[in-house]
Amino acid sequence: MSIQFTQGRLKPLALAVAVGSAIVCQSAAAQERAFSLPEQSLATSVAEISRQGQIQLLYDKSQLNGLRAPALSGNYSPQTALQKILIGSGLELVSENGVFVIRQQNLNQGTLVLPETQVSGLVQNHPATDVMSAPQYVTAEEISQKNTGDGNITDLMKTNPAVQFANNDSNSMNQGEIKPSRVSIHGSSSYQNAYRLDGVSFNNDFDPADSGLGETSTRLSSSDQGIYIDSRLIDSMTVYDNNIPVEFGGFTGGTVEVNSRRWQGENSAHAYYRLTRSGWNNLFHDSTQGIDTTKNDTSNPARFQNRYDKNDFGGWFELGVSENSGLVFSASRRSSTIPMTVTGGEAFVLENNQVEPITTDSGKKNQRRTSDNYFLKYSLDLSDKSSLDLSANYANYDSRLFSSSISNSGYDSTHNGLGFTAVFKHQLDLGQLEVTANTQDLKDDRKNDQKYSLTIRAFDKNWNMIERNSGGLGDLESKQKTHGLKTVMRFNSQEDALGLTHKPTLGAEVNYTKGTYVRDQDYFRYTYTGDIINNDLYDGYLSNVTRFKKGSYSADYTNYAIFLDDSIQYGKLNLRPGVRLDRDDFVNRTNIAPRLSGTYDVFGDGATQLIAGANRYYGRSMLTYALYGAQNDGMQNCLGYGKDFACSLNPDNNNWDNKKDYEGIDSLKTPYNDELTLALQQEILSTTWRLQYVHREGYDEVRTRTKYDTRDADKRSIRMYDNGGRSSHDTVTLSVKNSQPWEWADASHVMNASFTWQQTESNTPKDAGYNSFDPANKVNLNKVWYDGKVIDASKLPSTSFNSPIKLNLELTSVWDEYDVTWYNRLQWWGARSQAVRYDNSYYSDPEVGQLRKYTKQNFASKYTWDTRLGWKPDFAHGFGFSVEVNNILNNKNIADRFMFEDRVLKSYDPGRQFWLQVNYDL
């Protein structure tokens, strides 16, 4: 039992960490248990050891504030485990009248001596102790100290050396957005990362590469993530990017594992409110083109945003239901209001089968973004060996968009997900059995104010061509339903006859996925031609109609996987061989992914370790492979010639020309990456240094191409999927972090730094997705023209996610005496050269034919300094305050260049930005 005391008087606290189901005496403290704890706050480690060890423990929690505990891995008695994490803290563990007490160290009062114990040198399950993979691991406490921006989980990856962000996802022109940014891990496509919540995937398997709000009549703009999780509500996040265990599959980049909060045996409540405004942010822009919201069109209705207001609020509470069960409920809302200037004026609509003029007002009109998160988990400790967690999560993202220059163009887009998960864990004599069952529904939906699009092209009295537009892109809906079952057996360590120690993991999973694409009514695009006099259409006729027929189309597949690995220790050598077998009934292939990683403890003391690995990772099957044909198969055209041969508003009277542009899949394979890694890790004083090299080769990446080499107008634009994508990536990283907090200036300091060099080459644009298509039917996709010469397309530098050199430095400082926390993040990006194709031009080579033409664009180096200052004084009774400042030096850094109105413009990173927050802990 964990109880706290102050100045010799005992008192139970509501915020004491979980109580064991039985209070035992020192005999329990002598029994060895397997502990696997990450580096984290001392208070958290103390509470967890007390809970697992079921020992009676008294302490003053205020003495632990701001102190860090080292990672702890191995078999210890709870007494020994506590003593180990207290080393260097100035605190000690003593026994008073049969009760363990943590107090200020006093060498005159019989400090307990560490008993001898056997420590397992095998890799433990906890990510913070996995030396082979060395994933990024972020706890809830660390999240509360960092600059979290919009609160997406990708915001926590900004200093991960393996992660690259899309060049233009977050720039000064679109700061009103709250969607997660796209990330590439070791050069892979952003949609080929695996996102998991409590072991369950929340990936979006519809084409998610374009998240820039560029929508069309046949597809919805979405995201890599099927659920936009609020990072401030989670317990921890782990990012695996190399030497990834076989338990994880369905990616060629990396795995992002998010863990939700679990009831810890206490009642508590926590709340926060954050806000920022465009007036608190310096928005840089190209001097030749201001941030003009009237320039937003249907293809990109939110490209320019010069004003916004953002408000975030949320919280969670933990409530005990019985002695051995409890609830955690969390909720949050993130919202943004983005005022736009609408031009208004004259336009036309259809009323009673007639073209009628309308006039719309000019002025300000708000676009909106709202992201809601709700999570409920019920945790039950069935016995000292079994537990059951039942959870439900719902996330909804809603946006209101419109084109500033087109009448009645407004539409509502929603992106939501609902999931249910059950996790059962049972400790057997052989090890721990874990069973996870889940069901999940994801949905993207677009609803337009005007259900059709109308364009009027006519001449005025001065014979000037005038164009008037109204309407939107049509109603659409896509749904993704998933059911899954996963079983994992994590065996205890056991020694064989040869003296080898084994710790195997065996598992299997099955997942059923169904995607549905729905257009609930025919959508029409009408074009009228005529003369306009005094805003009336004369001699007009319906010159063109495009119809997208209503319908519902579905595709499904089942994925099966089995996996096995074994952590083998022999002396100084640890090996983790493993294999994963995946098969789905869509591509009908069995994919075998061998994985091998290992460490060698050079001197046997854990201070110097060599790490190496050779692994294969297979990616995901995408629902769009099967549904793309359905999305476009319903497209029909009617072309009218003059008033005598005009099209009709009655679709039954038209001669429709089917315009299918897709003819299937050519024996698709699953894309995969082969990886080689080599690393050296060294402990120096109280710091851990790691020098690491990762090489990736990407094969069978899916892309689209023209199917026929012909000038036939009916065939030249028809596309198909193939596995012609190819990429290569290299990363070299030197990282350092302190394994124990540094104490100076009356504060504790935790540092994490890295210096990274990366290079990515690919023959397919990583920011465009597998539906990226070049309609020129004679293009040689295996070669490109780049910077004055013809090269292999696979050697083309990446067009995004392409900063070659990056320096990250994080420093968190805590002054317990003043209840102050100060977080600083310094980032520097080296100069880069980028392959660009602003005008979609081609180059004709006499030997290899027509090629895509790219030029080299140089970008200067840049740096930013972000900071967050938090204050939670004792006299505020649980209230805390913080100010977050991004780009504190207000550097004007170029993010990217893009084509707009036949000009190449620069986009910039945001300038100095302020966030304010107030929070309350009860």
Side-chain angles (χ1 to χ4, degrees), residues 21 54 324 380-388 424-427:
S21 59
Q54 296 184 342
N324 60 344
L380 172 64
D381 292 328
L382 299 168
S383 68
D384 59 346
K385 294 185 177 181
S386 302
S387 67
L388 177 66
F424 172 74
K425 296 181 181 180
H426 181 68
Q427 188 65 44

Coordinates of all heavy atoms in Angstrom, one line a residue, residues 21 54 324 380-388 424-427:
S21 N -3.9 -5.3 -3.9 CA -5.2 -5.9 -3.4 C -5.0 -6.4 -2.0 O -6.0 -6.6 -1.3 CB -5.7 -7.0 -4.3 OG -4.7 -8.0 -4.4
Q54 N 3.2 -5.1 -4.1 CA 2.1 -5.2 -3.0 C 2.8 -5.1 -1.6 O 2.6 -5.9 -0.7 CB 1.4 -6.6 -3.1 CG 0.6 -6.7 -4.4 CD -0.2 -8.0 -4.5 OE1 0.1 -8.9 -3.7 NE2 -1.2 -8.0 -5.3
N324 N -10.7 -3.7 -6.8 CA -9.8 -4.2 -7.8 C -10.2 -3.8 -9.3 O -9.9 -4.4 -10.2 CB -9.6 -5.7 -7.8 CG -10.9 -6.4 -8.0 OD1 -12.0 -5.9 -7.8 ND2 -10.8 -7.7 -8.2
L380 N -10.1 -4.2 -14.9 CA -10.5 -5.2 -13.8 C -9.3 -6.1 -13.5 O -8.8 -6.8 -14.5 CB -11.7 -5.9 -14.2 CG -12.1 -7.1 -13.2 CD1 -12.5 -6.6 -11.8 CD2 -13.3 -7.9 -13.8
D381 N -8.8 -6.1 -12.3 CA -7.8 -7.1 -11.9 C -8.5 -8.3 -11.4 O -9.0 -8.3 -10.3 CB -6.8 -6.5 -10.8 CG -6.0 -5.4 -11.4 OD1 -5.6 -5.4 -12.6 OD2 -5.7 -4.4 -10.6
L382 N -8.6 -9.3 -12.3 CA -9.4 -10.5 -11.9 C -8.8 -11.3 -10.8 O -9.5 -11.9 -10.0 CB -9.6 -11.4 -13.2 CG -10.3 -10.8 -14.4 CD1 -10.1 -11.6 -15.6 CD2 -11.7 -10.6 -14.0
S383 N -7.5 -11.3 -10.8 CA -6.7 -11.9 -9.7 C -5.3 -11.3 -9.7 O -5.0 -10.4 -10.4 CB -6.7 -13.5 -9.9 OG -5.9 -13.8 -11.1
D384 N -4.4 -11.9 -8.9 CA -3.1 -11.4 -8.9 C -2.3 -11.8 -10.2 O -1.2 -11.4 -10.5 CB -2.3 -11.9 -7.7 CG -2.2 -13.4 -7.6 OD1 -3.0 -14.1 -8.3 OD2 -1.4 -13.9 -6.8
K385 N -3.0 -12.7 -11.0 CA -2.4 -13.1 -12.3 C -3.1 -12.7 -13.5 O -2.6 -12.9 -14.6 CB -2.2 -14.6 -12.2 CG -1.2 -15.1 -11.2 CD -1.0 -16.6 -11.3 CE 0.0 -17.1 -10.3 NZ 0.2 -18.6 -10.4
S386 N -4.3 -12.2 -13.4 CA -5.2 -11.9 -14.6 C -5.7 -10.5 -14.5 O -6.1 -10.0 -13.4 CB -6.3 -13.0 -14.7 OG -5.8 -14.3 -14.7
S387 N -5.9 -9.9 -15.7 CA -6.5 -8.6 -15.8 C -7.3 -8.5 -17.1 O -7.0 -9.2 -18.1 CB -5.4 -7.5 -15.7 OG -4.6 -7.6 -16.9
L388 N -8.3 -7.6 -17.1 CA -9.1 -7.4 -18.2 C -9.3 -5.9 -18.4 O -9.7 -5.2 -17.5 CB -10.5 -8.1 -18.1 CG -11.5 -7.9 -19.2 CD1 -11.0 -8.6 -20.5 CD2 -12.8 -8.5 -18.8
F424 N -7.2 -9.1 -22.6 CA -7.1 -10.0 -21.4 C -5.7 -10.5 -21.3 O -5.0 -10.9 -22.3 CB -8.0 -11.2 -21.7 CG -7.8 -12.3 -20.6 CD1 -8.4 -12.1 -19.4 CD2 -7.2 -13.5 -20.9 CE1 -8.2 -13.1 -18.4 CE2 -7.0 -14.5 -20.0 CZ -7.5 -14.3 -18.7
K425 N -5.1 -10.4 -20.1 CA -3.8 -10.8 -19.8 C -3.8 -11.8 -18.6 O -4.5 -11.6 -17.6 CB -2.9 -9.6 -19.4 CG -2.7 -8.6 -20.5 CD -1.8 -7.5 -20.1 CE -1.6 -6.5 -21.2 NZ -0.7 -5.3 -20.8
H426 N -3.0 -12.9 -18.8 CA -3.0 -13.9 -17.7 C -1.6 -14.4 -17.6 O -0.9 -14.7 -18.6 CB -3.9 -15.0 -18.1 CG -3.9 -16.1 -17.0 ND1 -4.5 -15.9 -15.7 CD2 -3.5 -17.4 -17.0 CE1 -4.3 -17.0 -15.0 NE2 -3.7 -17.9 -15.8
Q427 N -1.1 -14.4 -16.3 CA 0.3 -14.9 -16.1 C 0.2 -16.4 -15.8 O -0.3 -16.8 -14.8 CB 0.8 -14.1 -14.8 CG 2.3 -14.4 -14.6 CD 3.2 -13.9 -15.7 OE1 3.0 -12.8 -16.2 NE2 4.2 -14.7 -16.1

